[in-house]
Amino acid sequence: MSIENFPWLTTIILFPIVASLAIPFIPDKDGKTIRWYSLVVGLLDFLLIVYTFYTQYDFSNPEMQLVERYSWVPQIGLSWSVGVDGLSMPLVILTGFITTLAILAAWPVTFKPRLFYFLMLAMYGGQIAVFAVQDMLLFFLAWELELVPVYFLLAIWGGKKRLYAATKFILYTAGGSLFILVAALAMAFYGGTPTFDMQTLANKGFPLTFQLWIYTAFLIAYAVKLPIIPLHTWLPDAHGEATAPVHMLLAGILLKMGGYALIRMNAEMLPAAHAIVAPALVILGVVNIIYAALTSFAQRNLKRKIAYSSISHMGFVLIGIASFTDLGLSGAVLQMVSHGLIGASLFFLVGATYDRTHTLMLDEMGGVGKQMPKIFSMFTACSLASLALPGMSGFVAELMVFVGFATSDAYSLTFRVIVVGLAAIGVILTPIYLLSMLREIFYGPENKELTSHEVLIDAEPREVFIIASLLVPIIGIGFYPKMLTQVYDSKTLQLTARLRDEVPTLANRKEDTIAAQAVPAPAIR
């Protein structure tokens, strides 16, 4: 088999899943061998992703690359079909990076380590599959596969209300998944030969009314995962009970599945419906930004405060997707990657702080920065990244979304001014609640009741390494965003051009421009 024909993506997806099946047979008494085994598997798969990206991926090609198709269940048209392009490749890399660090973050886990690391590795492959599969039915199966490990990771290793949080998570997300299945079946069997292939469905040319029904079904499913208010309430509860590594997976990867699917299916496969629904997405994005920021401002529980902050930041993704500009869509993709890194770092530090203080209530903290200077410094750096400090990835992403939407000719000037003005309120609120959070945790006089009962040990080398690993790309993208945007620029240009053709005012303007250019210039006598 030549290197060009090697099944790169299939190997990347199946390797951690197959490796997880060996965990029950590894001799181990205290879990140390299992955790090293899992870390090596995660690291090898991430290195394989990086190697594949570096040697096999073409930045200038907007089409699907590394495509692999194998007939699986031909009776129902199901095939193993995978591929990546500019939308999915950055998220595949992000998944490998965050999951590997999450495995390292799970080092202190001693309760049922075999089951824990088995679920982590199984989820590794399932998450990558969501971003790589190109068959609608297979996408639904991958979407469901990654839900099961999260449920057990919450239900077994979570906090006091873990069963409630896990049950709410599975009810919301599995209920939303049913809309994916119904929409996929409707698209596959609508006229002609049934097919679940995404590329075929994207070019099938569905009537507008049908597109709007399918678009609505997809939007409900992905609104749960993104999440979009009011289908967001599962997320603060899940984060409130999760452990640090599960936090990292929820904030760093799972939320991005909703944004990715909105672009891949709602925008790319149903462009005519997207042209109609896009203004509603913008309004939902503004609601996400302001409502979640205000709610985060009022939270006294540290995990729930960061959870609502995540919901607020994902509102920028919605605005970018609906902007009909290259810059806005590019900013939406960059925001997903940026928030994946920043969200994972903040939630890991929340977990590290809780391990030492054994409280999540801001009222019970105070002055711990003196005894934990390393955690204080890392928490400050990651919070500054979250509030979009210039030089950090969050600043570049949000700026691109703002400028992309503000310069969009698909909306009236009045609408753009109102949206940008309202979204700016969220940008103003974010530093207020994040800096206030830092003040209440680390500044001021020590809480004697806390320090007398808890030994506040500073960050250990493993924790410093995890945060440093996350800060490097956060700062790198902040100073040189092209290191990421060049991966998907060709794809966003292609997709934006297609979406603009579906907006009547933009399409007519384009036709007038082409007609004007076709008229020959008058001869000069």
Side-chain angles (χ1 to χ4, degrees):
M1 179 182 295
S2 64
I3 193 169
E4 291 81 8
N5 297 324
F6 185 80
W8 296 104
L9 289 178
T10 298
T11 304
I12 289 170
I13 294 170
L14 296 183
F15 174 63
I17 297 175
V18 173
S20 69
L21 300 177
I23 287 180
F25 307 101
I26 297 176
D28 188 15
K29 292 183 178 180
D30 52 8
K32 292 182 178 179
T33 305
I34 297 296
R35 69 188 185 188
W36 276 108
Y37 171 80
S38 301
L39 180 61
V40 169
V41 170
L43 185 58
L44 286 176
D45 204 50
F46 175 62
L47 292 175
L48 182 59
I49 293 171
V50 173
Y51 175 81
T52 303
F53 167 73
Y54 184 74
T55 60
Q56 307 296 316
Y57 185 81
D58 180 8
F59 292 171
S60 61
N61 183 4
E63 305 300 332
M64 280 292 164
Q65 303 179 50
L66 303 171
V67 176
E68 303 164 25
R69 287 190 178 91
Y70 311 100
S71 180
W72 191 2
V73 187
Q75 292 82 355
I76 59 173
L78 176 62
S79 63
W80 176 265
S81 178
V82 293
V84 291
D85 60 3
L87 295 178
S88 49
M89 194 68 199
L91 297 173
V92 170
I93 298 173
L94 178 70
T95 300
F97 184 60
I98 296 296
T99 308
T100 302
L101 290 178
I103 293 173
L104 182 59
W107 224 241
V109 173
T110 56
F111 180 67
K112 297 184 178 180
R114 290 183 187 273
L115 178 59
F116 183 90
Y117 288 106
F118 167 81
L119 294 172
M120 291 287 284
L121 291 180
M123 190 174 174
Y124 197 154
Q127 290 169 329
I128 295 175
V130 169
F131 298 123
V133 296
Q134 297 303 311
D135 182 281
M136 281 297 301
L137 191 55
L138 187 61
F139 176 85
F140 169 75
L141 295 176
W143 190 275
E144 292 294 290
L145 172 63
E146 54 84 19
L147 297 181
V148 177
V150 178
Y151 171 80
F152 285 110
L153 289 169
L154 283 172
I156 298 176
W157 290 272
K160 294 180 180 179
K161 297 181 179 178
R162 57 186 181 273
L163 291 178
Y164 170 79
T167 303
K168 192 172 184 178
F169 165 79
I170 203 69
L171 288 176
Y172 268 71
T173 51
S177 301
L178 294 177
F179 290 92
I180 301 177
L181 179 60
V182 171
L185 292 172
M187 294 176 70
F189 290 95
Y190 186 91
T193 305
T195 178
F196 290 99
D197 182 70
M198 291 185 184
Q199 297 302 308
T200 304
L201 293 174
N203 298 317
K204 207 167 184 178
F206 299 107
L208 180 58
T209 303
F210 182 79
Q211 283 196 37
L212 288 171
W213 281 108
I214 300 301
Y215 192 102
T216 303
F218 281 147
L219 182 58
I220 293 172
Y222 306 142
V224 172
K225 187 60 70 76
L226 192 67
I228 299 175
I229 294 169
L231 301 177
H232 68 290
T233 58
W234 65 270
L235 183 65
D237 290 321
H239 273 305
E241 304 304 320
T243 55
V246 181
H247 280 312
M248 296 174 72
L249 297 179
L250 283 172
I253 304 169
L254 262 72
L255 303 191
K256 313 308 169 287
M257 293 178 181
Y260 165 78
L262 274 175
I263 301 175
R264 174 70 71 200
M265 296 176 193
N266 290 58
E268 186 174 23
M269 298 175 64
L270 305 166
H274 182 71
I276 295 176
V277 182
L281 289 184
V282 174
I283 295 172
L284 288 172
V286 172
V287 172
N288 256 45
I289 292 171
I290 297 178
Y291 175 84
L294 289 172
T295 308
S296 179
F297 191 91
Q299 295 298 312
R300 306 305 299 160
N301 182 294
L302 188 54
K303 287 185 177 181
R304 295 180 70 88
K305 180 179 284 288
I306 302 299
Y308 276 105
S309 177
S310 294
I311 297 172
S312 178
H313 283 91
M314 294 308 290
F316 289 100
V317 175
L318 288 174
I319 295 176
I321 293 173
S323 66
F324 293 102
T325 63
D326 303 330
L327 190 61
L329 183 57
S330 179
V333 179
L334 185 60
Q335 175 73 346
M336 287 193 287
V337 176
S338 171
H339 181 266
L341 298 168
I342 296 171
S345 65
L346 280 175
F347 276 112
F348 173 73
L349 288 171
V350 168
T353 304
Y354 175 77
D355 289 341
R356 290 157 171 82
T357 62
H358 295 98
T359 181
L360 292 170
M361 305 308 296
L362 292 171
D363 299 332
E364 299 174 2
M365 300 184 188
V368 300
K370 295 179 181 179
Q371 298 190 39
M372 300 188 299
K374 293 179 183 177
I375 289 183
F376 168 47
S377 300
M378 293 187 296
F379 221 131
T380 301
C382 295
S383 297
L384 292 176
S386 183
L387 61 83
L389 182 75
M392 303 283 200
S393 59
F395 173 77
V396 181
E398 292 182 13
L399 180 64
M400 290 173 67
V401 171
F402 267 114
V403 176
F405 183 79
T407 57
S408 175
D409 51 358
Y411 301 99
S412 67
L413 178 61
T414 303
F415 185 71
R416 283 180 281 155
V417 170
I418 293 174
V419 168
V420 171
L422 291 175
I425 296 175
V427 176
I428 295 171
L429 289 173
T430 303
I432 296 176
Y433 66 70
L434 286 177
L435 294 179
S436 297
M437 176 191 72
L438 291 176
R439 175 181 56 81
E440 292 186 86
I441 299 173
F442 298 105
Y443 290 90
E446 290 184 357
N447 185 331
K448 298 299 182 181
E449 185 176 351
L450 175 65
T451 55
S452 62
H453 291 85
E454 306 294 344
V455 180
L456 303 180
I457 302 172
D458 205 2
E460 60 185 58
R462 175 183 60 87
E463 295 168 324
V464 174
F465 174 79
I466 290 173
I467 295 300
S469 299
L470 291 165
L471 282 175
V472 167
I474 290 173
I475 297 173
I477 294 171
F479 279 98
Y480 189 64
K482 188 178 178 181
M483 67 185 292
L484 180 61
T485 58
Q486 64 181 344
V487 176
Y488 57 79
D489 272 344
S490 60
K491 179 62 182 181
T492 54
L493 285 170
Q494 181 195 59
L495 180 55
T496 301
R498 182 180 183 188
L499 293 175
R500 289 174 67 85
D501 287 341
E502 298 295 336
V503 180
T505 55
L506 300 180
N508 294 337
R509 193 180 308 164
K510 180 179 178 181
E511 291 175 0
D512 293 340
T513 302
I514 294 174
Q517 293 174 346
V519 175
I524 300 176
R525 297 182 179 178

